[in-house]
Amino acid sequence: MALIKKRKCPECGGEMEAKLINLHYKRESVDLEVEVIGIPANVCTRCFYRIIQGKVAKYIDTLVDPIFESEKSSKEKPLPSPHVGIQFPFLDRDAYAEL
Ligand SMILES: [Zn+2]
C-alpha cells in the first residue's frame, strides 16, 4: 500500500505531488539541531504546503526526540551542540507514492 495518495492541497486546492523532502528540527532551550533527509511527503505544486503521513511523522519523532532529550540532560558540555543529520535511504517514487 502506498504511503502517499493523490489529493488536492487543503490550503489552496492546488495539485499535490509526492516527493522526498528534508526537515529541520529545533527545540526551544536546546542549541542542537537535527536535519532529517529523504522524508516522503505530499507537496503542493502551487503554495508548497507539505503533508507528511501520520505514521511517518510519528516514526521521525521517535528518532529525533531522544536526541534532544539526551542533549537537554547533559550537564557538562565539552563541545558546542552539534547539528545531527538523519538520512533515510533513497526511495523510488513507486515505493511510497500511488500517483
Ligand atoms: Zn497549496
Side-chain angles (χ1 to χ4, degrees):
M1 221 195 36
L3 276 173
I4 296 176
K5 299 196 159 62
K6 195 164 179 66
R7 58 176 293 180
K8 298 276 185 195
C9 174
E11 289 294 305
C12 76
E15 291 291 327
M16 297 201 92
E17 187 184 23
K19 275 188 188 185
L20 296 176
I21 64 165
N22 304 336
L23 280 183
H24 199 87
Y25 288 78
K26 273 185 181 180
R27 297 278 157 87
E28 264 175 57
S29 77
V30 193
D31 286 334
L32 181 133
E33 295 177 26
V34 181
E35 178 91 18
V36 184
I37 296 163
I39 305 164
N42 240 341
V43 182
C44 178
T45 54
R46 212 192 286 168
C47 73
F48 300 106
Y49 184 79
R50 304 184 290 188
I51 299 173
I52 297 171
Q53 211 226 19
K55 255 190 265 178
V56 172
K58 213 175 259 181
Y59 176 52
I60 293 169
D61 283 344
T62 66
L63 294 172
V64 168
D65 285 346
I67 300 172
F68 282 105
E69 286 311 312
S70 106
E71 177 68 7
K72 224 187 269 180
S73 62
S74 71
K75 299 203 168 62
E76 209 175 303
K77 289 183 184 163
L79 291 170
S81 296
H83 289 189
V84 179
I86 295 175
Q87 185 159 10
F88 288 109
F90 180 81
L91 285 174
D92 279 324
R93 223 163 161 281
D94 358 341
Y96 61 90
E98 73 174 1
L99 33 158

